[in-house]
Amino acid sequence: MILALKNIFTDTGNIALFIGRFFKELFLPPFQINEFLRQCYAVGFKSLPLVTITGFIMGLVLTIQSRPTMAKFGAETWLPSMVSLSLIREIAPVITALICAGKIASSISAELGSMKVTEQIDAMEVSAVNPYKYLVVTRILATTIMVPILVIYADLVGVYGGYIGYNIHGDITMFRYFSDVFEHLEFLDIIPATIKTFFFGFFIGMIGCYKGFNASNGTAGVGIAANSAVVSASLSIFIIDMLAVQITDFFF
C-alpha cells in the first residue's frame, strides 16, 4: 500500500515536471513547424474516418432511442433540439476524446516508447537535436489543436445523423430540422463544451508522450506504456469533464 502511494506521488511529480518542461520548451527556438504540421495531419486527418462513423452513429442511435419516450409525452417536436444539445454539450466531446485517447495516445506512446528502448532518442541528443522539442512539444501541440476540431466535426456529423434518424419514422425537411436545432442552441451551450476539449487534447498528447518518453524494459515496456497511456488518458478525460461540468454549473 505504501509502495503504491509512493509510486502515485512519484508519477504525479514527474508528470508535473514534464508539463513544466513543455511550457518552457514551447517558447524557445528552434520551432519545429514541419514536424508540427505532420503531427496535425497524423492526429487530425487520419482520425476523420473513425470520428465520422462514430459521430454519425451517435446522432442516429440517440434519436432512434429517444423517439419512443418523447412520443409518449407528445414532445416529438423537441427531438431535434434535445439530441443536438445532448451531443454538443456532453456526448460528442467525451466520446470523441475517448476515441482519440484510444487511437492517438496509444500511437504516440508506442512510437516514442519504441524510439526510447532502441536508443533513437539518445542518438538524437548526441546529434545535438533536442528530442523533447522535436518529439514531445510538436505532438502535444497537435493534439491540443486537433482534438477540438475533431469534436466540432463530430458535433456536425452527429446532428446530421440525428436528422437521418428522425426521418426513419418521421418526415421533416433538413431546413426545418436544423432551424429547430439552432433555435434552441445558445453560445453558452457551445463555448464551455469547446473549451474543455482543448484540455482533453492537451492531456491526451501529454500522457501519451510522457508514457512513451519514459518507457523501459525493452519491447514489453512499450506495450505496457501504450496500455497505460490509454487508461490514464481516458481517466483524465472523465476527471476533466467532471470538473468542467461543476465549473460551468457554478458560473453559468
Side-chain angles (χ1 to χ4, degrees):
M1 181 67 180
I2 296 176
L3 181 60
L5 289 174
K6 180 182 178 181
N7 291 335
I8 291 173
F9 285 117
T10 300
D11 282 342
T12 302
N14 289 335
I15 290 174
L17 292 173
F18 198 80
I19 295 174
R21 185 179 178 185
F22 165 78
F23 287 106
K24 177 183 176 181
E25 299 279 0
L26 178 62
F27 301 103
L28 296 176
F31 302 106
Q32 305 292 343
I33 303 298
N34 291 334
E35 177 64 13
F36 165 70
L37 294 176
R38 190 179 75 84
Q39 291 303 321
C40 286
Y41 173 81
V43 171
F45 184 77
K46 290 189 175 180
S47 300
L48 280 179
L50 184 58
V51 172
T52 301
I53 295 172
T54 305
F56 182 81
I57 292 175
M58 281 192 297
L60 182 71
V61 172
L62 183 61
T63 302
I64 294 174
Q65 293 290 337
S66 302
R67 188 187 187 96
T69 303
M70 301 290 283
K72 289 181 181 179
F73 295 95
E76 284 186 85
T77 56
W78 288 87
L79 197 55
S81 58
M82 186 276 292
V83 170
S84 62
L85 286 173
S86 300
L87 285 171
I88 293 171
R89 297 181 70 173
E90 187 64 25
I91 298 175
V94 172
I95 297 299
T96 305
L98 289 174
I99 291 172
C100 292
K103 181 180 184 299
I104 298 169
S106 61
S107 175
I108 290 175
S109 180
E111 182 182 8
L112 297 189
S114 298
M115 296 179 69
K116 179 70 173 181
V117 300
T118 56
E119 300 181 349
Q120 294 181 52
I121 293 178
D122 296 334
M124 292 178 67
E125 292 179 342
V126 172
S127 303
V129 176
N130 185 343
Y132 191 96
K133 183 82 173 181
Y134 185 83
L135 298 174
V136 175
V137 174
T138 54
R139 283 164 172 77
I140 295 178
L141 272 181
T143 56
T144 303
I145 293 173
M146 297 310 298
V147 168
I149 295 175
L150 289 173
V151 169
I152 293 172
Y153 174 74
D155 290 338
L156 297 174
V157 175
V159 172
Y160 179 74
Y163 164 73
I164 299 297
Y166 191 98
N167 278 282
I168 291 177
H169 299 290
D171 185 19
I172 188 172
T173 64
M174 184 177 292
F175 177 80
R176 175 64 184 278
Y177 183 88
F178 280 92
S179 295
D180 289 344
V181 169
F182 290 112
E183 182 181 354
H184 297 90
L185 196 62
E186 300 178 355
F187 280 107
L188 290 180
D189 298 319
I190 301 173
I191 294 174
T194 303
I195 291 175
K196 68 182 179 183
T197 59
F198 286 95
F199 291 93
F200 291 163
F202 175 79
F203 278 93
I204 287 171
M206 186 274 297
I207 291 173
C209 289
Y210 173 78
K211 295 295 184 181
F213 215 70
N214 292 280
S216 59
N217 299 326
T219 54
V222 175
I224 294 173
N227 181 69
S228 178
V230 174
V231 174
S232 300
S234 300
L235 182 61
S236 70
I237 288 168
F238 288 118
I239 294 174
I240 293 168
D241 185 57
M242 179 188 68
L243 294 175
V245 169
Q246 295 298 323
I247 293 171
T248 303
D249 183 64
F250 180 78
F251 286 102
F252 301 105

